[in-house]
Amino acid sequence: MLDALLVTLGVLMLLQGAAAPALTTAWRALPVYLLAALLVFALSVCMTSNTPRAYLGNVLAALGKARGPRHAYLAWRALLVALYEESVWRVVLQTALCACIGPLIALPAVAAAFTHLHRHRTAGSWPRTLELFSFSLILGMLYLYTGDPLAAILPHAIRNYLIGLSGYRSEKV
């Protein structure tokens, strides 16, 4: 519900004269976006796990076994959630706020709102809250500096997929 309100607010701000988002996708930058995705995921793990090496080992082991409909569902879900959220948070809201109040204030404001709306994911944990805020800030910077929604969507989707995959690490898949 709040996402709908934020999109409406962003669209109204864009209609009031804020710069419209310039949507471009540089497919040749895909390897850079993939590298950014892996670095963002590694940062997430280092900030929230007591045993980052073991966690990454479990994720890599699960990735090696990733087959079947459960993992296809997990991958599609991660992609669709990232596509939706980045369209709302970066393309509409961040673009509108950057045009109105400037990126120095807009990026942390959007990251704070994103973190607040995902507070159910942090379970009251300060490391998780800080990680989610940092994650959102990094995605905002990637979108701001590239102008390419894929620069934020791809790291978001890959991070969500790998975190989701970690939940299946002990299952036979």
Side-chain angles (χ1 to χ4, degrees):
M1 179 67 171
L2 189 55
D3 283 354
L5 179 63
L6 292 173
V7 169
T8 304
L9 176 65
V11 168
L12 288 174
M13 291 169 73
L14 290 172
L15 291 174
Q16 292 298 319
L23 299 179
T24 60
T25 297
W27 293 105
R28 64 184 172 277
L30 195 58
V32 175
Y33 299 162
L34 289 171
L35 179 61
L38 296 175
L39 291 174
V40 165
F41 177 70
L43 177 66
S44 295
V45 170
C46 290
M47 289 179 76
T48 58
S49 176
N50 293 332
T51 56
R53 276 188 164 169
Y55 185 93
L56 289 173
N58 287 334
V59 169
L60 289 174
L63 193 56
K65 298 177 192 175
R67 290 175 198 74
R70 173 177 261 166
H71 291 285
Y73 165 77
L74 192 60
W76 276 108
R77 181 174 167 229
L79 179 62
L80 293 175
V81 166
L83 181 63
Y84 169 75
E85 288 188 347
E86 294 310 315
S87 297
V88 170
W89 293 98
R90 307 304 156 223
V91 176
V92 174
L93 192 61
Q94 179 178 307
T95 299
L97 284 177
C98 281
C100 293
I101 60 176
L104 200 57
I105 298 171
L107 266 66
V110 170
F114 183 86
T115 302
H116 180 70
L117 257 101
H118 288 79
R119 66 188 177 280
H120 62 284
R121 300 270 184 213
T122 62
S125 164
W126 279 108
R128 287 182 182 168
T129 301
L130 181 60
E131 181 274 327
L132 194 57
F133 179 81
S134 301
F135 169 67
S136 182
L137 200 57
I138 290 168
L139 293 179
M141 287 187 284
L142 286 169
Y143 176 64
L144 178 70
Y145 292 115
T146 64
D148 186 352
L150 196 59
I153 292 168
L154 195 59
H156 191 156
I158 289 174
R159 175 189 174 271
N160 285 0
Y161 173 73
L162 292 175
I163 287 173
L165 190 62
S166 71
Y168 299 120
R169 67 183 174 270
S170 61
E171 296 179 18
K172 280 190 165 189
V173 285

